[in-house]
Amino acid sequence: MVIERAAGRIQVVETTGRTHLGTVEGLGDLSHASVVFGRDGRHAYVFGRDGGLTRIDLLTRTITHRIRQAGNSIGGAILQNGRVVAAQNYAPGGIKLFDADTLELLAEIPATGADGRPSKVVGLADLPGQRLAASLFEAGEIWIIDASDPRQPAVTKLPAGRQPYDALVTPDGRWYLAGLFGEDGLSLVDLWQAPPAARKVLSGYGRGEAPLPVYKMPHLRGWAMAQGQAWLPAIGRHELLVADPARGWQEQGRVPVAGQPVFAMARPDGRQVWVNFAFPKNDTVQVIDTATRRVVKTLTPCRGVLHMEFTPKGESLWLSCRDDNRVEIYDTATLRRVATLPADQPSGIFFTARAQRMGM
């Protein structure tokens, strides 16, 4: 699926012949839309900025269900068993759980911190054991939610640090890692530990340096896990941080890049990390060889590169060119453009292979 943000619609595409199959209209405000898929890949759940939650049958390219579940929503997750869809909300905040077949509301979890004030929810991700993890921006907390009984979810609240802004779950489901906007470093939860606890890691990467202006928040959800290490955008820096889970998440290196990273995404085999950037470098994409930790190619494909997505086995990468109204497709071996598809101000690109991956 390719999000056409201004038009409130999505394109359905296929990656073998690199063709457009059809469109689905009437999806509301898609200016920060995200998508999760049912476990068989047939149904997609689209979370809109206007609080809309839409279930789409990709085979028939029709809307089966649509609700307005909040005033402002930025994403969601689907539980391990595929039966429950969860939405994370900015306004009025909180998390809602829905039946994946009917979008019936099963439970609502208000997001309030210790001071009782509402908080934006970010970094919502599915975990093993019918659980979810989420971060609360204003409250500075990480919540682990046991949704085994989705009508009565149980919440464990952990201190995270100042203003967690996004998070990722490692592919093995062990670690939940939240970036912190209000301070240097990240907050880490070992999900194998009982009870879980949060601790700070990489807290020294910006110490003694003046941070650069932040034009767009970095995204950790790109799953930049490669060569057994995490490749993370450093907020307010023009570099990626490399951390090793096997060595206590200590910093193993830094890679200078062209601008402020937004997405740092690992090719499925882990050999490459592709990075795009905030303004004024949002026309640039860089490719890093993870074996040498060096930038091996700098591309300027178009204006307004917003999102990237690898095909399931990584032979090509699709990227959205919002300001040039197209999607470009690159061969990841030759690093050359191999195809272009027209799209109306495209943003997110989401392939159904995500249905088989945790935290997506």
Side-chain angles (χ1 to χ4, degrees):
M1 294 174 61
V2 176
I3 303 293
E4 294 187 313
R5 56 188 286 156
R9 65 173 174 247
I10 59 101
Q11 282 196 40
V12 181
V13 298
E14 55 83 27
T15 61
T16 303
R18 302 167 181 151
T19 62
H20 164 91
L21 299 177
T23 59
V24 180
E25 308 267 357
L27 301 178
D29 184 352
L30 300 184
S31 58
H32 195 291
S34 65
V35 178
V36 298
F37 296 97
R39 62 191 303 158
D40 62 0
R42 175 168 181 170
H43 294 101
Y45 301 84
V46 182
F47 302 89
R49 188 67 148 178
D50 57 1
L53 171 57
T54 309
R55 182 179 185 263
I56 296 173
D57 185 326
L58 294 179
L59 293 183
T60 62
R61 293 185 289 282
T62 58
I63 294 173
T64 67
H65 301 77
R66 176 170 167 78
I67 59 173
R68 286 286 297 276
Q69 59 85 30
N72 187 338
S73 180
I74 64 160
I78 189 164
L79 284 188
Q80 187 178 33
N81 61 12
R83 296 176 181 172
V84 176
V85 174
Q88 65 177 11
N89 296 320
Y90 267 18
I95 298 166
K96 291 184 178 179
L97 306 182
F98 300 92
D99 182 281
D101 291 330
T102 66
L103 298 192
E104 173 197 358
L105 179 63
L106 302 176
E108 183 171 357
I109 308 170
T112 53
D115 59 4
R117 292 189 297 176
S119 183
K120 300 181 186 71
V121 179
V122 297
L124 184 68
D126 60 291
L127 307 176
Q130 316 313 323
R131 295 181 300 162
L132 299 161
S135 297
L136 276 63
F137 183 79
E138 287 85 359
E141 294 179 346
I142 292 172
W143 287 9
I144 309 299
I145 302 163
D146 185 341
S148 299
D149 180 352
R151 294 187 183 274
Q152 293 184 315
V155 180
T156 299
K157 302 180 181 182
L158 308 173
R162 292 177 56 197
Q163 299 176 321
Y165 65 84
D166 196 14
L168 64 81
V169 176
T170 55
D172 60 5
R174 178 170 182 176
W175 305 98
Y176 180 79
L177 191 68
L180 300 175
F181 184 71
E183 60 182 287
D184 292 336
L186 301 98
S187 188
L188 177 73
V189 179
D190 184 346
L191 298 165
W192 290 6
Q193 179 181 337
R199 62 183 176 92
K200 301 284 182 62
V201 295
L202 300 176
S203 59
Y205 72 81
R207 190 168 295 156
E209 303 173 27
L212 298 170
V214 178
Y215 296 107
K216 184 175 175 62
M217 294 291 277
H219 289 258
L220 298 183
R221 195 54 62 89
W223 262 39
M225 297 294 298
Q227 306 291 337
Q229 298 178 322
W231 299 67
L232 304 166
I235 193 164
R237 316 286 162 190
H238 292 179
E239 59 191 9
L240 297 187
L241 304 178
V242 184
D244 191 340
R247 298 182 181 180
W249 288 88
Q250 295 180 1
E251 181 182 320
Q252 301 298 307
R254 306 184 188 190
V255 180
V257 290
Q260 177 197 317
V262 175
F263 282 102
M265 302 187 69
R267 197 172 72 177
D269 66 351
R271 181 60 192 270
Q272 296 173 346
V273 169
W274 290 56
V275 188
N276 72 330
F277 302 96
F279 177 85
K281 286 290 188 177
N282 58 348
D283 63 345
T284 300
V285 173
Q286 290 190 310
V287 184
I288 297 169
D289 181 344
T290 60
T292 62
R293 296 184 186 170
R294 293 184 177 180
V295 173
V296 294
K297 188 74 171 182
T298 297
L299 306 167
T300 52
C302 56
R303 298 176 300 158
V305 178
L306 285 194
H307 200 274
M308 303 177 291
E309 181 85 333
F310 288 98
T311 49
K313 292 190 176 182
E315 76 284 352
S316 62
L317 176 128
W318 293 45
L319 59 84
S320 57
C321 300
R322 177 197 59 196
D323 299 341
D324 288 331
N325 295 307
R326 66 178 186 261
V327 170
E328 295 200 347
I329 306 167
Y330 282 79
D331 184 303
T332 59
T334 65
L335 306 183
R336 294 178 179 174
R337 183 175 60 198
V338 292
T340 301
L341 290 178
D344 187 357
Q345 294 187 28
S347 54
I349 303 173
F350 303 91
F351 294 155
T352 54
R354 287 172 171 248
Q356 314 307 324
R357 297 169 61 187
M358 198 169 300
M360 300 300 282

